[in-house]
Amino acid sequence: MKKIIFTEKSPAPIGPYNQAVLKGNTLYTSGQIAINPANGELVTSNIEDETKQVMENMKAVLKAAGMAFENVVKSTIFIMNMGDFGKINAVYGSYFDEKTAPARETVQVAALPKNVNIEISMIAIL
């Protein structure tokens, strides 16, 4: 049986999906964008702040499932501009120990929800 994970410390879903689903010992997160859950506003002042908000939202979802970034085995990063890769990578990398960082792909896309610049999803295992 699957368990739905929800926390008010991360933005509520804006469609027919959940923040994350736990099945057995594996957590599948939905993509997070840079919505500040405290006020519902998008954080798009710069790509570093936007990436940090996404990672903080993801941190809250992982915590709600009793996990942390150490549990993440796979990340997917969708970005609007591959030219931002270095800046995104610097912020993203600050949340992981490089020696045990998860597998990952980064894909440039044509558009993202709410016209954001970045969206990240993760898979984590207890």
Side-chain angles (χ1 to χ4, degrees):
M1 175 165 277
K2 68 183 181 181
K3 178 181 178 184
I4 303 303
I5 303 298
F6 176 81
T7 177
E8 292 182 2
K9 295 181 180 182
S10 191
I14 54 175
Y17 62 90
N18 289 290
Q19 292 170 333
V21 175
L22 182 65
K23 175 70 175 164
N25 65 344
T26 305
L27 181 73
Y28 302 90
T29 74
S30 292
Q32 285 291 322
I33 61 174
I35 296 174
N36 180 333
N39 60 20
E41 298 292 321
L42 281 171
V43 175
T44 57
S45 51
N46 60 59
I47 194 62
E48 294 92 347
D49 290 346
E50 191 170 349
T51 303
K52 182 176 184 198
Q53 184 64 60
V54 170
M55 293 300 287
E56 289 297 313
N57 292 346
M58 191 60 71
K59 182 179 180 180
V61 172
L62 290 167
K63 185 175 180 181
M67 296 189 195
F69 286 111
E70 293 78 26
N71 298 97
V72 177
V73 296
K74 181 73 162 59
S75 294
T76 302
I77 303 176
F78 301 99
I79 61 176
M80 290 292 297
N81 180 358
M82 197 57 78
D84 288 333
F85 180 81
K87 293 175 184 177
I88 291 167
N89 202 46
V91 175
Y92 171 92
S94 71
Y95 286 83
F96 293 100
D97 176 348
E98 192 170 325
K99 293 178 183 175
T100 59
R104 179 186 85 186
E105 66 259 331
T106 303
V107 180
Q108 181 173 318
V109 297
L112 288 167
K114 296 191 172 279
N115 296 314
V116 297
N117 298 297
I118 183 170
E119 180 173 0
I120 300 175
S121 64
M122 297 180 177
I123 300 172
I125 298 177
L126 278 173

